[in-house]
Amino acid sequence: MLMFLLRRLAVALSVVLTVSVIAFLLLHLSGDLALAIAGPEASPEQVAQVRAQFGLDRPMIVQYGAWLADAARFDFGRSFYFRDTVAALVVQRMPVTLTLGAISLGVALVIAIPLGVLAAVKRGSWIDRAALIFCALGQAIPTFWLGLSLIILFAVNLRWLPVSGSATWAHYVLPSVALGWYAVPAVMRLTRNGMLDVLASDYIRTARAKGLRWPQVLFKHALRNAVVPVVALAAVQFGFMLGGSIVVEAVFSMQGLGHLAWEAIARKDFPVVQAVVMLLATIYIGLTLLADLLNAWLDPRIRVA
Amino acid sequence: MPLLDVDHLTIDIPTEGGLLHAVNDVSFTLERGETLAIVGESGSGKSLTSLALMDLLPSKAIRRARSLRFDGIDLQAASERDKENLRGDRMAMIFQEPMTSLNPAYTIGDQLAEALRRHRKVDRKTARDRAVHLLERVGITAAASRLGQYPHQLSGGLRQRVMIAMGLMCEPDLIIADEPTTALDVTIQAQILKLLRDLQQEFGMALILVTHDLGVVARVATKVAVMYAGRLVETGPVEAVFGAPSHPYTRGLLRAIPVPGRTRPGEPLGTIPGQVPSLVGPLSGCSFRNRCDHAQDACASEIPDRTVTPGHRMACILDPVQTWAEAPALALDDRRPQ
């Protein structure tokens, strides 16, 4: 188990390093940085001064090393636009996005897994068909449209929930549904197919031959095995949600990381973009690692791999 | 009253091509302490017959019988709850795929204890002790330390021993073993068979052994039921059926066995030409007639149920034989420990 953990950690670290190279190059591939910082009206002398001041005249590999060392200490420099350090900006915006992502994933799993189990057990029934139609709808409806529709229905017409912002828990309800909706079809289908496979397996027949009752056969013996691939998918979906929260944060005017990234890209605020990319990638890799560990716990056969 | 009374059991499975008559009018009885071997080739309906007794048939399958009784309990009228209470407690089953029949996510100890705790009000300690006791009894060394292991950490032979121990957790009256040795090495096969035979005698259980291996039948069974294309073609005490096989199919099966000292190297073994007929759609007459050397016009119309000697029945229009010169000297003698 320890070897398994170490090997996974090593893989995760190498992926983080690869992402850091890409994030660093991102900055330099988009044109002359000194020119961008100094502004279009700057004289050549001013540009040269900026270049020296920001250390942009050093070799690329040295710049990368310095940047990586700073990044490792969570120092991404200063925002070109905001009068603040990038770290402070990110720390300020992060909780909103993480909370939104976590609740959205929760909403998605709470809907998708029971629905998938039900569809598998009642295979071919109207429940199964309704669930599959629900899935097709889920994938066809774009997030922004769903978000706006939810606002019109629940916030404007029914006045049950606030329209926008992220001040209270109530503010998170509609965005979470809008964002979580996206993950439901994939998780539900994977749960359904996993359950169908597992329910047809020999060990389920063994469980029934022991005289175990349905709930125990279903939840102890079947679901635990069926849910293994779902865990990996959920981690991936959570990553998508962090990235995809850009749209939802825009629709619901939430001051999160997505919103920050969108602003930073529009203003060519590269340090912020770099930091957001690095952070989201690291979180994503961390989640994948967590999913691996969770799977190893669920399925003992994985532990030796 | 026999422990098990199966009277005209029929299993139909709806398929896209029509109704598949997988098992047709199969009847037999089994007493406590007896070992019945159900023999037949793949698709003969032997596994479905055993699954039907446990009520573990695929959900599409339609089971009918004139009578299906276990220790006087009418299995056809019993509620789902009653049948669940019987399964694993008074009747247990050992499956032919030891590699896939244990749940990969739980330890051996958990899966063993569960079988007992489902039917008896016992604490974890008692269930654990029983599991260790039975693992030792089925010949697993360091039994206590095996409890924490997962199925993938055990070999096929060990897993099958675990399956057997699991079946014994509640001391069932009937144990059904569906090809318990097919997936195992030959040397392990012999050990598992001896184990099953010993346990059957020790616990006084009735044993149904589903197999395609006549050598296994000779070593373990007291009664044999030969199935072909969903029908029981010959049944009776092993000595009677092997000594005077009266159905041409049984004789064909016995001819296909090499006999030490009589079968010379290079000499072809007996084979039965032709193929098993399709069981889809309406059936009539003897289903073996298209492969039978003795087929006559009458074979297409009726299937007789004839008694050779008391307890020895067969379904053929040919006159039963009293002895058979070609009878292979199967190891009938080492069947029971003296």
Side-chain angles (χ1 to χ4, degrees):
Chain A
M1 190 66 196
L2 188 69
M3 269 311 290
F4 174 82
L5 184 67
L6 287 177
R7 214 172 311 167
R8 290 296 145 123
L9 261 176
V11 171
L13 258 177
S14 61
V15 177
V16 171
L17 275 178
T18 313
V19 172
S20 76
V21 171
I22 294 168
F24 174 75
L25 289 179
L26 202 69
L27 191 73
H28 292 267
L29 286 176
S30 51
D32 190 339
L33 262 181
L35 212 62
I37 298 169
E41 283 101 38
S43 65
E45 291 76 30
Q46 282 172 310
V47 173
Q49 192 194 338
V50 166
R51 184 165 288 136
Q53 183 192 336
F54 284 86
L56 294 172
D57 47 355
R58 295 173 298 169
M60 204 71 123
I61 185 81
V62 175
Q63 289 187 48
Y64 170 70
W67 177 80
L68 188 65
D70 286 344
R73 291 194 305 270
F74 206 64
D75 177 4
F76 289 92
R78 276 185 173 277
S79 160
F80 294 167
Y81 180 79
F82 297 99
R83 307 227 157 274
D84 221 340
T85 64
V86 174
L89 278 172
V90 166
V91 166
Q92 183 196 333
R93 306 294 187 93
M94 183 97 117
V96 173
T97 300
L98 282 184
T99 311
L100 177 62
I103 298 177
S104 300
L105 186 69
V107 168
L109 293 181
V110 161
I111 295 172
I113 292 180
L115 202 60
V117 171
L118 202 64
V121 172
K122 303 271 176 196
R123 182 185 195 174
S125 70
W126 67 268
I127 296 175
D128 187 19
R129 251 163 265 161
L132 288 175
I133 291 169
F134 179 70
C135 267
L137 273 179
Q139 278 178 327
I141 295 174
T143 307
F144 73 90
W145 186 85
L146 180 66
L148 292 174
S149 304
L150 288 172
I151 291 175
I152 292 170
L153 183 61
F154 292 102
V156 177
N157 289 341
L158 293 171
R159 293 174 179 279
W160 287 351
L161 293 158
V163 175
S164 65
S166 50
T168 67
W169 288 109
H171 285 89
Y172 282 95
V173 175
L174 293 183
S176 302
V177 172
L179 191 55
W181 176 270
Y182 172 77
V184 169
V187 174
M188 186 239 134
R189 252 201 296 254
L190 198 63
T191 308
R192 175 181 178 272
N193 292 347
M195 280 300 278
L196 285 179
D197 280 352
V198 170
L199 286 175
S201 67
D202 290 335
Y203 56 82
I204 293 302
R205 192 177 56 182
T206 305
R208 293 191 56 218
K210 284 183 202 172
L212 298 184
R213 302 226 165 87
W214 254 117
Q216 213 178 354
V217 172
L218 211 56
F219 295 108
K220 181 180 175 187
H221 285 273
L223 188 58
R224 175 152 172 181
N225 287 289
V227 93
V228 168
V230 176
V231 170
L233 179 73
V236 174
Q237 291 287 348
F238 191 58
F240 282 156
M241 281 174 181
L242 293 182
S245 69
I246 291 186
V247 175
V248 172
E249 285 177 21
V251 170
F252 289 93
S253 301
M254 303 178 89
Q255 295 294 318
L257 218 51
H259 199 72
L260 180 68
W262 178 70
E263 282 177 309
I265 292 166
R267 289 168 179 142
K268 292 199 173 182
D269 196 348
F270 289 108
V272 175
V273 179
Q274 274 183 327
V276 172
V277 168
M278 272 311 290
L279 207 65
L280 288 185
T282 309
I283 292 174
Y284 193 84
I285 292 159
L287 287 171
T288 318
L289 188 68
L290 191 71
D292 280 349
L293 296 180
L294 207 55
N295 272 344
W297 174 70
L298 283 170
D299 186 348
R301 285 171 300 179
I302 298 174
R303 286 172 214 165
V304 286
Chain B
M1 183 176 61
L3 179 68
L4 187 66
D5 180 16
V6 178
D7 191 8
H8 287 82
L9 173 69
T10 297
I11 301 169
D12 292 331
I13 299 173
T15 65
E16 284 177 18
L19 208 54
L20 172 73
H21 302 283
V23 173
N24 296 290
D25 296 325
V26 165
S27 306
F28 59 85
T29 60
L30 191 64
E31 303 288 343
R32 281 167 208 278
E34 274 188 330
T35 297
L36 168 72
I38 305 180
V39 204
E41 54 198 288
S42 303
S44 61
K46 58 191 194 301
S47 286
L48 283 175
T49 301
S50 62
L51 287 173
L53 303 177
M54 294 288 287
D55 204 35
L56 290 176
L57 285 172
S59 54
K60 288 183 305 180
I62 304 158
R63 181 188 76 184
R64 279 173 290 123
R66 224 173 266 172
S67 165
L68 198 58
R69 285 175 184 277
F70 174 79
D71 200 17
I73 303 163
D74 184 350
L75 294 178
Q76 294 187 101
S79 69
E80 199 54 47
R81 175 59 62 98
D82 288 344
K83 284 183 287 193
E84 280 173 355
N85 287 339
L86 279 179
R87 279 206 296 266
D89 183 6
R90 301 197 57 202
M91 51 207 296
M93 189 150 182
I94 300 161
F95 297 99
Q96 69 175 289
E97 304 89 0
M99 307 310 277
T100 52
S101 291
L102 290 166
N103 192 327
Y106 294 98
T107 60
I108 302 304
D110 186 277
Q111 296 185 61
L112 280 166
E114 177 183 69
L116 185 64
R117 285 168 62 86
R118 159 66 180 85
H119 297 287
R120 306 269 190 279
K121 293 216 178 308
V122 298
D123 55 28
R124 282 173 195 286
K125 171 90 171 60
T126 312
R128 197 191 128 87
D129 290 349
R130 171 108 180 125
V132 172
H133 168 72
L134 283 173
L135 284 182
E136 279 167 357
R137 183 61 198 85
V138 298
I140 293 182
T141 52
S145 68
R146 300 282 186 189
L147 292 183
Q149 289 190 312
Y150 289 94
H152 72 271
Q153 294 170 307
L154 307 180
S155 67
L158 279 182
R159 287 190 218 186
Q160 194 58 294
R161 286 172 199 264
V162 170
M163 288 296 296
I164 293 172
M166 198 180 282
L168 293 171
M169 283 300 278
C170 294
E171 281 196 46
D173 299 313
L174 170 67
I175 195 151
I176 301 171
D178 184 0
E179 306 242 10
T181 59
T182 305
L184 305 174
D185 293 342
V186 180
T187 49
I188 310 289
Q189 284 186 7
Q191 294 172 13
I192 297 281
L193 278 177
K194 179 169 188 316
L195 175 66
L196 273 175
R197 189 181 65 191
D198 293 350
L199 290 169
Q200 187 256 334
Q201 276 156 2
E202 181 181 327
F203 291 88
M205 303 176 295
L207 174 65
I208 293 180
L209 192 67
V210 178
T211 181
H212 61 261
D213 186 339
L214 290 173
V216 168
V217 179
R219 277 204 294 277
V220 181
T222 50
K223 285 167 82 173
V224 59
V226 182
M227 285 188 75
Y228 179 78
R231 288 185 193 278
L232 208 60
V233 294
E234 187 160 2
T235 179
V238 174
E239 295 88 344
V241 172
F242 281 16
S246 296
H247 195 285
Y249 178 66
T250 314
R251 282 185 223 162
L253 281 184
L254 288 168
R255 273 196 204 101
I257 304 172
V259 182
R262 208 195 299 170
T263 311
R264 278 181 296 277
E267 181 187 338
L269 295 170
T271 55
I272 304 173
Q275 287 175 353
V276 182
S278 163
L279 297 178
V280 176
L283 305 178
S284 69
C286 174
S287 45
F288 189 59
R289 66 180 188 272
N290 60 342
R291 300 172 77 179
C292 182
D293 297 338
H294 309 279
Q296 304 163 17
D297 290 345
C299 295
S301 49
E302 50 156 349
I303 306 167
D305 182 357
R306 305 173 69 169
T307 301
V308 183
T309 51
H312 181 183
R313 288 175 10 239
M314 65 114 177
C316 181
I317 57 165
L318 290 183
D319 285 330
V321 297
Q322 294 308 320
T323 52
W324 191 45
E326 295 172 63
L330 282 169
L332 288 169
D333 39 316
D334 74 4
R335 197 161 69 245
R336 262 171 244 104
Q338 300 307 310

